[in-house]
Amino acid sequence: MDENKNYKWVVARRPKGKPVKKDFELVTSDIPVISDGEVLLKTLYLGLAPVMRMYMQGNPTAGEKSLNIGDIIHGRGVAEIIESRNPDYKVGEKVQGQIGWQSYKASKLSFSEKFFNCPDKGINYAHYTATLGMTGLSAWGGFLDCGQPKEGDVVVVSGAAGGVGSIVVQLAKIYGCKVIGIAGSAEKCFWLSELGVDEVINYKKENVDTRLGHLCPSGIDIYFDNVGGEILQAALEHLAFEARIVLCGSISEYTQINSTGPKNYTNLRRVNGMMKGFFVYNYLNKFDNCMEALGGYISNKKLIPKLDISDGIETMPEALMRLYDRKNFGVQCCRVRRGPYDNAI
Amino acid sequence: MDENKNYKWVVARRPKGKPVKKDFELVTSDIPVISDGEVLLKTLYLGLAPVMRMYMQGNPTAGEKSLNIGDIIHGRGVAEIIESRNPDYKVGEKVQGQIGWQSYKASKLSFSEKFFNCPDKGINYAHYTATLGMTGLSAWGGFLDCGQPKEGDVVVVSGAAGGVGSIVVQLAKIYGCKVIGIAGSAEKCFWLSELGVDEVINYKKENVDTRLGHLCPSGIDIYFDNVGGEILQAALEHLAFEARIVLCGSISEYTQINSTGPKNYTNLRRVNGMMKGFFVYNYLNKFDNCMEALGGYISNKKLIPKLDISDGIETMPEALMRLYDRKNFGVQCCRVRRGPYDNAI
C-alpha cells in the first residue's frame, strides 16, 4: 500500500446472494485535502458487519444513506487524526465512526457520522471497532434492554461465536444465566465452552430442535437471534412462559430472495412470549454507559473480547465474505495499517 | 329439540381446511344423572371461537385437553343450574364455563372447567359468552397488557368487526387513540364507522398496504392482529417507532397446511418494535378486573356489545363455519334454548 494514496473500495455491482469479489472495486485517489472545520483521518482498523451487504444492495437503512454503484462502501472504523483544521480535535487523537472502506478520510466528524473518541487504554485499537464499538453496543443493548435477563434464565444465543454473539454469551454468564451457544464448527463450540458457555450446539452436525428440547426442559427464557431462518424456528418450539426473543440479526436470510419468516411465530401466544426488534443506532444515547460497563468487564477479565483480524485494506471484500460464509471467529475486522498496541489484547 | 334428551355435537372427523358439516356428528343421550358434589347444567348459550377447529384437529392447547374422534367438542357457554348436589351452588344460578357443545352437563364446576358466576344484571345472558366472557377478556387483556395504549396512539385492528375486534376498536376509542378498523364487507365497515372508528379498510376491495400508508403517515403504534397472513405483513410495513403488535388470533392461517409466517418480521428491528403473543387463559386472574371495567363501559354506553346469534343447538356447526367464512358480525354465539332477557341488549 502506497501511504501517499487513498485506497477506496466502491460498489462495483449489487450483490446477488453472498457477496463475491466482482461486487467490489478498489480505486485509488489522492489523499484528500481538508477544509476549515475538517480533520484528516488515517484509518487504522475497519470493522465488518453483515449490514454492509445490504448497503451495497442499495437498501435504505435508518442509520446510513443508501449506496449507488461507484460509491464508497459504508463501514465504521478507528482512525488517527493526522491533520486538523477543527479546534475541537487535535492531531494524534483516535476516533471511531463512519469512515467508509478507505484508508484516509477528510471529515467534519459530524453527528451523522456518529464519531466517538477512543481513549488510550493501552488496548488494541481494533476493539473500538468491536466490543468497544457498535458490536458491543448491539450485544449489550439487545441483551439487557430487549432480553431483560434475570438470574437463572435459560439463554440461547445463535451465531454465538460471532461478533455480537460472543459478547452476549459472556454477558449472560455475568448476569447469572444458564447459557446455550449455537455455532457452526467444533472449534467454535470448543472455544465457547472455554469461555464458560454451559452447553453448545453445533448446528451443522446436530438437530437444533431436538437438542434444545433436551437442554431446555423448562423452555428458553431468552433467545438472542443473530441468524434467523431455521434456528429461529427451532427456538420458537421451546419457549418458556414470558420468553423474550431478541431480533438482532438474521444473516441466514439476507442472501435469500424469498425468505419466508418464522412459520411458527404464533407459538408466542400460548406462552405470552415476545419478539423484540433491536437496531443499534437507536441506542446511541446509551453508548457511554455501555462502554463503561463493557470496558469494566474487559479490565477485570470477566469479558474476553475476541477479534478476527485480516491484514491490509485489500482484504476487505474477503473479510465481508467470511461473515457470510460464517467463518469468522469473534468480531471480524481489518487492520488497514499498523498502529499502536497492535499486539495488545 | 326434545328437552328430555341431551344433544351433543361430537368430532366425526378431523377438519381439512375450513370445517364442513361432515366433520360434526349430533348424538343424543339421556340427561346425565348427577353425583354428590355435582350440579346439572342446562345450557342457554354457547359461544363460538376459531380455536374450536383446532380442538377438533386434536391439537393440544394449554387450556383444554385435545379431542379424539367421538369426543364432545369443547365450547364455553352460559347455563342455568337446574339441580344441585353441591352446597356452594343453588338451583337457578347462572354460570359460564367449559360446558362443551351439549344441551345438558353434569359438572363439579371444577377449576379446570374455568366456571364463573353470571350475576343477574338484566342483560342478555349471551353477553357472558362474549363481551363479559373470554372474548371480552381477550380484547381487554390483549389491548391493555400487550398493546400498552397511550392517548393519541394510532391503533390498527384486523378482524375489526369480529368478536374480539369489535371490542378492541371501542376500547381504543375509550383510551383516546386514533383507530383504523379492517373488515371484509361494506356493511361491517359501515357499522364500524357508526361505532366511532376513525377510518375503515375493506380488505376485500382495497389494498391494505397502500391504505395503511395513506392513513398512518407516522406509522402504526399498535397493531392488534386477529387474522395473521397478508394483513399482518401489510401492518409490518408501516410500524411507528416502538410499535407493538398484539398477536391475538390468526384465523387466515388456521386452515392452511403450509402457513409461512410474516416474511418481513425483521421490520421490527429498525423501529425497536415488539410482537407480543396473547393467550386468554393466561389472564384468568384478571377476569374480575376486566368484567368490572367492561361491565362499566357497557352500562354507561361507551361500549356497545354486538352479538351474532344463531338459534338452536343444531346450528352449532354452521355457526363455527361462519367464523371461518368471516361472515360473523360481532361475537358469534348460539342460543341453545330460550331463557331470561333473551331480547335485552
Side-chain angles (χ1 to χ4, degrees):
Chain A
M1 188 172 75
D2 180 349
E3 287 286 353
N4 296 312
K5 291 279 177 200
N6 189 17
Y7 291 80
K8 303 183 282 198
W9 280 105
V10 302
V11 184
R13 59 176 196 185
R14 307 289 190 201
K16 288 178 189 149
K18 291 182 184 179
V20 297
K21 280 198 174 178
K22 284 189 174 172
D23 301 331
F24 306 85
E25 187 186 356
L26 185 63
V27 297
T28 55
S29 64
D30 289 339
I31 296 172
V33 176
I34 60 173
S35 319
D36 273 354
E38 289 190 330
V39 299
L40 183 62
L41 299 174
K42 184 172 159 183
T43 315
L44 299 179
Y45 286 95
L46 288 169
L48 280 299
V51 68
M52 290 167 177
R53 181 187 167 281
M54 282 141 90
Y55 295 141
M56 294 177 72
Q57 285 283 336
N59 291 346
T61 70
E64 306 295 347
K65 72 178 177 65
S66 68
L67 296 178
N68 294 315
I69 303 295
D71 283 348
I72 297 173
I73 300 166
H74 294 314
R76 294 180 61 85
V78 176
E80 182 174 349
I81 296 173
I82 58 169
E83 201 184 324
S84 177
R85 294 179 64 180
N86 182 323
D88 295 336
Y89 294 95
K90 292 200 193 78
V91 168
E93 287 181 333
K94 314 292 186 300
V95 290
Q96 58 161 300
Q98 188 51 255
I99 297 168
W101 290 27
Q102 56 187 336
S103 58
Y104 289 97
K105 183 184 188 183
S107 171
K108 288 195 165 110
L109 301 176
S110 64
F111 180 76
S112 68
E113 295 166 310
K114 304 169 194 70
F115 272 94
F116 296 93
N117 287 317
C118 300
D120 183 350
K121 293 185 176 180
I123 59 172
N124 189 326
Y125 277 98
H127 291 305
Y128 289 107
T129 71
T131 307
L132 298 177
M134 292 299 138
T135 311
L137 184 58
S138 297
W140 184 86
F143 182 63
L144 296 190
D145 193 79
C146 303
Q148 297 283 329
K150 296 186 301 293
E151 198 177 328
D153 274 352
V154 174
V155 176
V156 174
V157 183
S158 61
V164 172
S166 62
I167 302 170
V168 172
V169 294
Q170 296 182 77
L171 280 176
K173 288 310 298 175
I174 290 168
Y175 275 79
C177 303
K178 174 182 170 178
V179 185
I180 297 157
I182 305 175
S185 75
E187 292 74 16
K188 286 179 175 177
C189 287
F190 179 75
W191 178 62
L192 288 170
S193 298
E194 294 225 305
L195 276 183
V197 168
D198 298 285
E199 303 283 353
V200 290
I201 302 175
N202 179 344
Y203 74 90
K204 287 190 181 158
K205 299 271 184 186
E206 300 175 279
N207 182 302
V208 176
D209 183 11
T210 308
R211 285 275 287 152
L212 287 176
H214 289 147
L215 295 173
C216 313
S218 308
I220 300 166
D221 296 298
I222 301 175
Y223 171 56
F224 194 104
D225 191 23
N226 291 306
V227 303
E230 288 178 13
I231 295 179
L232 171 57
Q233 288 192 173
L236 274 159
E237 293 297 320
H238 301 281
L239 299 181
F241 192 67
E242 299 193 330
R244 288 84 73 197
I245 294 178
V246 184
L247 295 179
C248 184
S250 42
I251 196 165
S252 77
E253 299 180 21
Y254 296 151
T255 54
Q256 286 177 20
I257 294 161
N258 292 310
S259 96
T260 59
K263 63 183 176 188
N264 55 352
Y265 75 101
T266 57
N267 286 355
L268 290 168
R269 285 218 288 268
R270 301 284 146 153
V271 296
N272 284 23
M274 181 175 89
M275 191 183 267
K276 183 141 192 213
F278 175 83
F279 180 52
V280 68
Y281 282 177
N282 294 331
Y283 284 75
L284 290 181
N285 61 342
K286 296 185 178 170
F287 189 81
D288 291 344
N289 295 345
C290 171
M291 292 306 111
E292 195 183 325
L294 296 185
Y297 295 140
I298 293 173
S299 297
N300 62 26
K301 309 263 191 276
K302 284 187 173 175
L303 180 62
I304 300 167
K306 173 77 175 172
L307 295 167
D308 195 329
I309 297 177
S310 68
D311 257 301
I313 197 165
E314 67 280 8
T315 65
M316 284 295 286
E318 292 92 325
L320 183 59
M321 289 177 225
R322 282 175 66 80
L323 296 183
Y324 280 90
D325 291 332
R326 315 280 281 275
K327 285 187 178 165
N328 64 301
F329 207 105
V331 189
Q332 184 72 49
C333 65
C334 172
R335 178 160 38 210
V336 173
R337 47 171 67 83
R338 291 267 159 192
Y341 310 122
D342 273 350
N343 298 320
I345 288 170
Chain B
M1 188 171 78
D2 180 350
E3 287 285 355
N4 296 313
K5 291 279 178 200
N6 188 18
Y7 291 79
K8 304 182 282 197
W9 281 105
V10 302
V11 183
R13 59 176 196 184
R14 306 289 190 202
K16 287 178 189 146
K18 291 182 183 179
V20 296
K21 280 197 174 180
K22 284 191 173 171
D23 300 333
F24 306 85
E25 187 186 355
L26 185 63
V27 299
T28 56
S29 65
D30 291 337
I31 296 172
V33 176
I34 60 173
S35 319
D36 273 353
E38 289 190 329
V39 299
L40 183 61
L41 299 173
K42 186 172 156 182
T43 315
L44 300 178
Y45 287 95
L46 287 169
L48 281 299
V51 69
M52 290 167 178
R53 181 188 168 281
M54 282 142 87
Y55 295 142
M56 294 176 72
Q57 286 282 338
N59 292 346
T61 70
E64 308 293 347
K65 72 177 176 63
S66 68
L67 296 178
N68 293 315
I69 303 296
D71 283 347
I72 297 173
I73 299 166
H74 295 313
R76 294 180 61 85
V78 176
E80 182 175 347
I81 296 173
I82 58 168
E83 201 185 323
S84 176
R85 294 178 65 180
N86 183 321
D88 295 337
Y89 293 94
K90 291 199 193 77
V91 168
E93 287 181 333
K94 315 292 186 298
V95 290
Q96 59 159 299
Q98 188 50 256
I99 297 168
W101 290 27
Q102 55 186 337
S103 58
Y104 289 98
K105 183 184 188 182
S107 171
K108 288 195 165 113
L109 302 177
S110 64
F111 180 76
S112 68
E113 294 166 310
K114 304 169 195 73
F115 272 96
F116 296 93
N117 288 316
C118 300
D120 183 350
K121 293 185 175 179
I123 59 171
N124 190 326
Y125 277 98
H127 291 306
Y128 289 107
T129 71
T131 308
L132 298 177
M134 291 301 138
T135 312
L137 184 59
S138 296
W140 185 85
F143 182 63
L144 295 191
D145 194 78
C146 303
Q148 297 282 331
K150 295 185 303 294
E151 200 179 327
D153 274 351
V154 173
V155 177
V156 174
V157 183
S158 60
V164 173
S166 62
I167 303 169
V168 172
V169 293
Q170 296 183 78
L171 280 175
K173 286 312 299 176
I174 290 168
Y175 275 79
C177 303
K178 175 182 169 178
V179 185
I180 296 157
I182 305 175
S185 75
E187 291 75 16
K188 287 179 175 176
C189 286
F190 179 75
W191 177 63
L192 289 170
S193 297
E194 293 225 305
L195 276 182
V197 167
D198 298 285
E199 303 283 353
V200 290
I201 302 175
N202 180 342
Y203 74 89
K204 287 191 180 157
K205 298 273 185 186
E206 300 175 279
N207 182 302
V208 177
D209 184 10
T210 308
R211 285 275 287 152
L212 287 176
H214 289 145
L215 295 174
C216 313
S218 308
I220 300 166
D221 296 298
I222 301 176
Y223 170 58
F224 194 104
D225 191 24
N226 291 306
V227 303
E230 288 179 12
I231 296 180
L232 170 58
Q233 287 192 176
L236 275 159
E237 292 297 320
H238 302 281
L239 299 181
F241 191 67
E242 298 192 332
R244 290 82 75 198
I245 294 178
V246 184
L247 295 179
C248 184
S250 42
I251 195 165
S252 77
E253 299 180 21
Y254 296 151
T255 54
Q256 287 176 21
I257 294 161
N258 292 311
S259 95
T260 58
K263 64 184 175 188
N264 55 352
Y265 74 101
T266 56
N267 286 355
L268 291 167
R269 284 218 289 266
R270 300 283 147 153
V271 296
N272 285 22
M274 180 176 89
M275 192 182 265
K276 182 141 191 215
F278 175 83
F279 179 52
V280 66
Y281 282 176
N282 294 332
Y283 284 75
L284 290 181
N285 62 343
K286 295 184 179 172
F287 189 81
D288 291 344
N289 295 345
C290 172
M291 292 305 111
E292 195 184 325
L294 296 185
Y297 295 140
I298 292 174
S299 297
N300 62 25
K301 310 264 192 273
K302 283 188 174 172
L303 180 63
I304 300 168
K306 174 77 176 172
L307 295 167
D308 195 329
I309 297 177
S310 67
D311 257 302
I313 196 166
E314 67 279 10
T315 64
M316 285 294 287
E318 291 93 325
L320 183 60
M321 289 178 222
R322 282 175 66 80
L323 295 183
Y324 279 91
D325 290 333
R326 316 281 281 275
K327 286 186 177 165
N328 66 301
F329 206 105
V331 190
Q332 184 73 47
C333 64
C334 172
R335 179 160 37 211
V336 173
R337 49 171 66 84
R338 291 268 159 191
Y341 311 120
D342 272 351
N343 298 319
I345 288 168

